[in-house]
Short mmCIF file of all heavy atoms in Angstrom, two decimals:
data_model
loop_
_atom_site.label_atom_id
_atom_site.label_comp_id
_atom_site.label_asym_id
_atom_site.label_seq_id
_atom_site.Cartn_x
_atom_site.Cartn_y
_atom_site.Cartn_z
N ARG A 1322 -17.60 -5.94 -0.19
CA ARG A 1322 -17.51 -6.91 -1.29
C ARG A 1322 -17.22 -6.20 -2.62
O ARG A 1322 -16.42 -6.68 -3.44
CB ARG A 1322 -18.80 -7.72 -1.39
CG ARG A 1322 -18.71 -8.86 -2.39
CD ARG A 1322 -19.88 -9.84 -2.24
NE ARG A 1322 -21.09 -9.39 -2.95
CZ ARG A 1322 -22.16 -8.90 -2.37
NH1 ARG A 1322 -22.21 -8.76 -1.05
NH2 ARG A 1322 -23.22 -8.54 -3.08
N ALA A 1323 -17.84 -5.05 -2.79
CA ALA A 1323 -17.60 -4.27 -4.01
C ALA A 1323 -16.15 -3.82 -4.11
O ALA A 1323 -15.51 -3.92 -5.16
CB ALA A 1323 -18.54 -3.07 -4.05
N ASN A 1326 -13.83 -6.58 -4.95
CA ASN A 1326 -13.88 -6.86 -6.39
C ASN A 1326 -13.09 -5.82 -7.18
O ASN A 1326 -12.41 -6.16 -8.16
CB ASN A 1326 -15.32 -6.89 -6.88
CG ASN A 1326 -16.08 -8.12 -6.41
OD1 ASN A 1326 -15.48 -9.10 -5.97
ND2 ASN A 1326 -17.40 -8.09 -6.49
N ILE A 1327 -13.17 -4.56 -6.77
CA ILE A 1327 -12.38 -3.51 -7.41
C ILE A 1327 -10.89 -3.83 -7.29
O ILE A 1327 -10.13 -3.71 -8.26
CB ILE A 1327 -12.71 -2.14 -6.79
CG1 ILE A 1327 -14.12 -1.70 -7.19
CG2 ILE A 1327 -11.70 -1.08 -7.20
CD1 ILE A 1327 -14.65 -0.51 -6.41
N LEU A 1330 -9.88 -6.66 -9.64
CA LEU A 1330 -9.95 -6.31 -11.06
C LEU A 1330 -8.80 -5.40 -11.50
O LEU A 1330 -8.73 -5.01 -12.68
CB LEU A 1330 -11.29 -5.64 -11.37
CG LEU A 1330 -12.51 -6.56 -11.30
CD1 LEU A 1330 -13.81 -5.75 -11.35
CD2 LEU A 1330 -12.49 -7.57 -12.44
N TYR A 1421 -13.14 5.86 -12.97
CA TYR A 1421 -14.52 6.18 -12.59
C TYR A 1421 -14.52 7.00 -11.31
O TYR A 1421 -13.70 6.80 -10.42
CB TYR A 1421 -15.33 4.90 -12.36
CG TYR A 1421 -15.39 3.98 -13.55
CD1 TYR A 1421 -14.39 3.05 -13.79
CD2 TYR A 1421 -16.46 4.06 -14.46
CE1 TYR A 1421 -14.44 2.20 -14.90
CE2 TYR A 1421 -16.51 3.23 -15.56
CZ TYR A 1421 -15.50 2.30 -15.77
OH TYR A 1421 -15.54 1.48 -16.87
N ILE A 1423 -17.32 7.67 -8.38
CA ILE A 1423 -18.60 7.12 -7.94
C ILE A 1423 -19.06 7.85 -6.67
O ILE A 1423 -18.29 7.97 -5.71
CB ILE A 1423 -18.48 5.61 -7.64
CG1 ILE A 1423 -17.93 4.89 -8.87
CG2 ILE A 1423 -19.82 5.03 -7.22
CD1 ILE A 1423 -17.69 3.41 -8.64
N VAL A 1441 -20.25 8.09 -12.08
CA VAL A 1441 -21.26 7.09 -11.71
C VAL A 1441 -22.07 7.67 -10.56
O VAL A 1441 -21.53 7.97 -9.49
CB VAL A 1441 -20.61 5.75 -11.30
CG1 VAL A 1441 -21.69 4.73 -10.95
CG2 VAL A 1441 -19.71 5.22 -12.40
N LEU A 1443 -24.93 7.17 -7.78
CA LEU A 1443 -25.64 6.14 -7.02
C LEU A 1443 -26.94 6.72 -6.50
O LEU A 1443 -26.94 7.68 -5.72
CB LEU A 1443 -24.78 5.63 -5.86
CG LEU A 1443 -23.42 5.05 -6.22
CD1 LEU A 1443 -22.71 4.54 -4.96
CD2 LEU A 1443 -23.54 3.94 -7.25
N LEU A 1460 -23.36 7.34 -15.60
CA LEU A 1460 -23.96 6.04 -15.32
C LEU A 1460 -24.74 6.13 -14.01
O LEU A 1460 -24.34 6.83 -13.09
CB LEU A 1460 -22.87 4.98 -15.20
CG LEU A 1460 -21.93 4.83 -16.41
CD1 LEU A 1460 -20.83 3.83 -16.10
CD2 LEU A 1460 -22.71 4.41 -17.64
N GLN A 1461 -25.84 5.37 -13.91
CA GLN A 1461 -26.63 5.37 -12.69
C GLN A 1461 -26.85 3.95 -12.20
O GLN A 1461 -27.23 3.06 -12.97
CB GLN A 1461 -28.00 6.03 -12.93
CG GLN A 1461 -27.92 7.52 -13.21
CD GLN A 1461 -29.28 8.17 -13.17
OE1 GLN A 1461 -29.89 8.31 -12.11
NE2 GLN A 1461 -29.77 8.57 -14.33
N PHE A 1462 -26.58 3.75 -10.90
CA PHE A 1462 -26.81 2.46 -10.25
C PHE A 1462 -27.34 2.72 -8.86
O PHE A 1462 -27.18 3.81 -8.30
CB PHE A 1462 -25.50 1.65 -10.18
CG PHE A 1462 -25.04 1.15 -11.51
CD1 PHE A 1462 -24.22 1.93 -12.32
CD2 PHE A 1462 -25.43 -0.09 -12.00
CE1 PHE A 1462 -23.80 1.49 -13.57
CE2 PHE A 1462 -25.02 -0.55 -13.22
CZ PHE A 1462 -24.20 0.24 -14.02
N SER A 1463 -27.97 1.70 -8.29
CA SER A 1463 -28.58 1.87 -6.98
C SER A 1463 -27.58 1.79 -5.84
O SER A 1463 -27.84 2.27 -4.74
CB SER A 1463 -29.70 0.85 -6.77
OG SER A 1463 -29.17 -0.47 -6.81
N SER A 1464 -26.44 1.14 -6.07
CA SER A 1464 -25.43 0.98 -5.01
C SER A 1464 -24.09 0.68 -5.64
O SER A 1464 -23.99 0.33 -6.83
CB SER A 1464 -25.82 -0.15 -4.05
OG SER A 1464 -25.76 -1.41 -4.73
N LEU A 1465 -23.04 0.78 -4.83
CA LEU A 1465 -21.69 0.48 -5.29
C LEU A 1465 -21.57 -0.97 -5.77
O LEU A 1465 -20.98 -1.24 -6.81
CB LEU A 1465 -20.69 0.77 -4.18
CG LEU A 1465 -19.21 0.50 -4.47
CD1 LEU A 1465 -18.74 1.29 -5.67
CD2 LEU A 1465 -18.37 0.81 -3.24
N ILE A 1466 -22.12 -1.90 -5.00
CA ILE A 1466 -22.00 -3.31 -5.37
C ILE A 1466 -22.75 -3.58 -6.67
O ILE A 1466 -22.30 -4.38 -7.51
CB ILE A 1466 -22.49 -4.24 -4.23
CG1 ILE A 1466 -22.19 -5.70 -4.57
CG2 ILE A 1466 -23.94 -4.03 -3.91
CD1 ILE A 1466 -20.72 -6.04 -4.77
N ASP A 1467 -23.89 -2.90 -6.90
CA ASP A 1467 -24.62 -3.08 -8.15
C ASP A 1467 -23.77 -2.63 -9.34
O ASP A 1467 -23.72 -3.28 -10.38
CB ASP A 1467 -25.93 -2.31 -8.12
CG ASP A 1467 -26.98 -2.97 -7.25
OD1 ASP A 1467 -26.78 -4.14 -6.89
OD2 ASP A 1467 -27.98 -2.31 -6.92
N PHE A 1468 -23.11 -1.50 -9.19
CA PHE A 1468 -22.25 -0.99 -10.26
C PHE A 1468 -21.11 -1.99 -10.57
O PHE A 1468 -20.87 -2.33 -11.72
CB PHE A 1468 -21.66 0.37 -9.89
CG PHE A 1468 -20.47 0.75 -10.73
CD1 PHE A 1468 -20.64 1.13 -12.05
CD2 PHE A 1468 -19.18 0.73 -10.20
CE1 PHE A 1468 -19.54 1.48 -12.84
CE2 PHE A 1468 -18.09 1.06 -10.97
CZ PHE A 1468 -18.27 1.46 -12.31
N VAL A 1469 -20.44 -2.42 -9.51
CA VAL A 1469 -19.27 -3.30 -9.70
C VAL A 1469 -19.68 -4.61 -10.36
O VAL A 1469 -19.03 -5.07 -11.30
CB VAL A 1469 -18.55 -3.54 -8.35
CG1 VAL A 1469 -17.48 -4.61 -8.50
CG2 VAL A 1469 -17.93 -2.23 -7.86
N GLU A 1470 -20.73 -5.20 -9.86
CA GLU A 1470 -21.12 -6.52 -10.37
C GLU A 1470 -21.78 -6.45 -11.76
O GLU A 1470 -21.67 -7.39 -12.55
CB GLU A 1470 -22.07 -7.20 -9.39
CG GLU A 1470 -21.37 -7.59 -8.08
CD GLU A 1470 -22.23 -8.39 -7.14
OE1 GLU A 1470 -23.47 -8.39 -7.31
OE2 GLU A 1470 -21.67 -9.01 -6.21
N ALA A 1471 -22.43 -5.33 -12.07
CA ALA A 1471 -23.14 -5.25 -13.35
C ALA A 1471 -22.31 -4.60 -14.44
O ALA A 1471 -22.58 -4.83 -15.63
CB ALA A 1471 -24.43 -4.44 -13.17
N TYR A 1472 -21.29 -3.81 -14.06
CA TYR A 1472 -20.63 -2.99 -15.08
C TYR A 1472 -19.13 -3.25 -15.21
O TYR A 1472 -18.62 -3.33 -16.33
CB TYR A 1472 -20.87 -1.51 -14.77
CG TYR A 1472 -20.50 -0.59 -15.92
CD1 TYR A 1472 -21.39 -0.33 -16.94
CD2 TYR A 1472 -19.24 0.01 -15.97
CE1 TYR A 1472 -21.05 0.51 -18.00
CE2 TYR A 1472 -18.88 0.83 -17.02
CZ TYR A 1472 -19.78 1.10 -18.03
OH TYR A 1472 -19.44 1.92 -19.08
N LEU A 1473 -18.41 -3.34 -14.09
CA LEU A 1473 -16.94 -3.47 -14.19
C LEU A 1473 -16.54 -4.83 -14.77
O LEU A 1473 -17.17 -5.84 -14.49
CB LEU A 1473 -16.30 -3.28 -12.83
CG LEU A 1473 -16.13 -1.85 -12.34
CD1 LEU A 1473 -15.25 -1.82 -11.10
CD2 LEU A 1473 -15.55 -0.93 -13.41
#
Side-chain angles (χ1 to χ4, degrees):
R1322 187 167 83 254
N1326 288 344
I1327 290 168
L1330 290 169
Y1421 302 86
I1423 305 176
V1441 181
L1443 302 183
L1460 304 175
Q1461 292 191 71
F1462 290 88
S1463 62
S1464 67
L1465 179 58
I1466 187 61
D1467 285 346
F1468 163 73
V1469 171
E1470 292 186 342
Y1472 193 85
L1473 281 191

